[in-house]
Amino acid sequence: MIPKYIKGNTFLQWRKEMILKGGRKVDFDWLIDFAAGISWSELQNIILNPDNFFSLGIPTEELEAIWHSHLKDQIPLQYLISKCPWRDFELEASVGALIPRQETELLIDLALKKVANLKYGRWADLGTGSGPLAISLAQSLPDWEGHAVDISKDALQIAQRNLKYLVPNTNVKLSLGDWWEPLKRFWGSFDLVLSNPPYIPSDLIGDLEPVVKNHEPLIALDGGTDGMFASKQIIIGALNGLAKGGWLILEHHYDQSEKIIKFMKDIGMEEVSFEKDLSGIKRYAICRKQ
Ligand SMILES: C[S@@+](CC[C@H](N)C(=O)[O-])C[C@H]1O[C@@H](n2cnc3c(N)ncnc32)[C@H](O)[C@@H]1O
C-alpha cells in the first residue's frame, strides 16, 4: 500500500462529495475500508479529530476512479478492488466467480457443530466458486481430506489461487465437473457435504440488481424454473455420495425451505431440519444419511 497523508477535514469533505455523486453510503464506506484501510472505527476517529492528519492506503484519485466505475457501470466494488472479506479472511474476487455472500458464512458454523466429534473425515464443497467454504473447512478441519468441485473452469482457478494463498499446505483437491460426478470414486465416503448452489428461479434473474445480474456469472445464480434444479441434483446425489451418518447442508432461496425439507424427507434422508439466517429467514436445509 502507498500511504498518503491527508487532513481529516479534507478527507471528510471529499467523502461527502463522493457520496453525493450517487450510490449507497454503506458501499462507499465499504470501499474506503477495504481499499484504503479506513475502518468504521477509524472513520469515527477522523470525524472526532478532523484537524489531525492520517494515512490513506491508496490515493483519493484512485478511490474516486473506482467509485466512478461502480456508479457508471454498476460494477461490484469487490470486482473493482479484486477482493472480498468473508468470515475471518479476504478472498480474491474476480468476474469468473460469484462474490461470496455474508449469509453463506453461517453454513460453516452449522457444519462445524455437526462434525464436532469427528477428528478425521472427508468433506466436499459442491459449487465452490471462489472457494470460501472450502477455505474455511480446510482451516477448521486440518486433519480432514477436502474436495472442492465446480463446473466453471474460471471459478476453479480463482478457488485454487485463494486456497494456495490462504491455506498453503492444505489437503484440498479441486475437481472440474457436474456436482457429484467428479467425486465418483469417493462415493459413499463423505462425512460432510456443503453447498450453496445456484438457487434463483430463472424468471427472477431479470429482477436482480444490475450490479448482480450484469456482472456475476449466470451459472452461479440461475437455479432453473423452480430455482431448485441444482439443489435436487445435489440431494439425490447425496444418497450415494454421503457415508453412513454423513451430513449434507445446503443454502437455498428465502422461500424454498418447505419444499427442500420435504424433498429431503421424501428421498429417505434422516434428521432433516432447517436453520434460519441472521435475518430470521429459513435459509439452510440439513439432512443425514442413515
Ligand atoms: C451460488 S454459487 C456459490 C459459490 C460459492 N460456494 C460461494 O458461496 O460463494 C454456485 C456455484 O455453483 C457452480 N455450479 C453451477 N452449476 C454447477 C454444476 N452443475 N456442477 C458444479 N458446480 C456448479 C457455479 O459455477 C458457482 O460457482
Side-chain angles (χ1 to χ4, degrees):
M1 286 220 274
I2 321 145
K4 176 157 168 107
Y5 289 90
I6 183 167
K7 196 173 178 182
N9 270 330
T10 316
F11 173 78
L12 292 172
Q13 179 55 32
W14 169 80
R15 171 175 171 263
K16 197 170 160 188
E17 284 164 21
M18 291 301 110
I19 292 168
L20 283 174
K21 284 176 193 276
R24 300 190 313 167
K25 185 160 159 274
V26 62
D27 290 336
F28 186 76
D29 287 342
W30 185 94
L31 174 65
I32 58 173
D33 186 355
F34 290 101
I38 306 298
S39 64
W40 186 84
S41 58
E42 177 69 357
L43 184 61
Q44 306 317 303
N45 185 31
I46 297 168
I47 293 169
L48 289 173
N49 303 286
D51 290 328
N52 289 357
F53 280 79
F54 67 96
S55 86
L56 206 54
I58 61 172
T60 50
E61 295 76 15
E62 269 182 52
L63 289 167
E64 211 164 314
I66 296 169
W67 189 238
H68 282 165
S69 293
H70 172 65
L71 295 182
K72 183 170 157 282
D73 300 320
Q74 299 285 303
I75 304 174
L77 288 170
Q78 292 88 338
Y79 287 160
L80 287 167
I81 67 167
S82 305
K83 57 184 177 184
C84 174
W86 199 82
R87 282 182 74 95
D88 51 354
F89 48 81
E90 245 174 42
L91 290 147
E92 172 193 327
S94 47
V95 285
L98 186 96
I99 297 163
R101 303 299 203 265
Q102 210 183 357
E103 57 264 30
T104 308
E105 295 184 359
L106 267 183
L107 274 181
I108 295 295
D109 300 286
L110 296 173
L112 295 181
K113 266 191 226 154
K114 293 297 183 198
V115 299
N117 53 3
L118 274 185
K119 175 136 176 60
Y120 307 101
R122 183 175 275 148
W123 59 257
D125 167 19
L126 301 183
T128 194
S130 61
L133 295 167
I135 290 159
S136 255
L137 289 177
Q139 288 178 338
S140 309
L141 303 171
D143 298 322
W144 284 49
E145 180 187 299
H147 293 261
V149 174
D150 208 289
I151 205 161
S152 157
K153 215 175 183 171
D154 290 343
L156 219 52
Q157 279 169 356
I158 298 164
Q160 187 170 31
R161 288 200 292 275
N162 277 325
L163 272 157
K164 205 170 164 192
Y165 182 67
L166 290 161
V167 232
N169 299 313
T170 183
N171 191 20
V172 177
K173 294 174 183 62
L174 292 147
S175 305
L176 182 68
D178 189 13
W179 305 126
W180 288 97
E181 199 53 35
L183 304 178
K184 226 170 193 167
R185 67 193 176 101
F186 303 105
W187 280 6
S189 72
F190 287 94
D191 304 290
L192 173 67
V193 173
L194 298 189
S195 185
N196 170 26
Y199 55 62
I200 298 173
S202 305
D203 62 359
L204 295 186
I205 299 283
D207 300 339
L208 297 173
E209 300 281 332
V211 73
V212 176
K213 70 178 176 195
N214 295 348
H215 298 283
E216 296 200 76
L218 186 62
I219 197 163
L221 301 169
D222 192 342
T225 312
D226 65 356
M228 293 182 288
F229 183 71
S231 306
K232 287 175 182 166
Q233 282 186 306
I234 293 167
I235 299 167
I236 293 168
L239 282 178
N240 288 322
L242 288 178
K244 196 170 179 308
W247 294 97
L248 169 67
I249 311 182
L250 283 183
E251 183 178 320
H252 54 70
H253 207 214
Y254 71 91
D255 58 356
Q256 292 168 351
S257 180
E258 269 177 39
K259 287 179 202 140
I260 296 216
I261 294 288
K262 181 173 183 314
F263 191 80
M264 285 175 161
K265 285 182 179 163
D266 287 351
I267 214 166
M269 288 292 184
E270 297 282 308
E271 298 184 50
V272 179
S273 65
F274 65 80
E275 290 287 343
K276 294 179 179 173
D277 64 18
L278 296 176
S279 316
I281 294 168
K282 292 177 188 170
R283 175 73 68 183
Y284 317 99
I286 305 174
C287 65
R288 195 174 200 186
K289 184 173 151 181
Q290 56 176 312

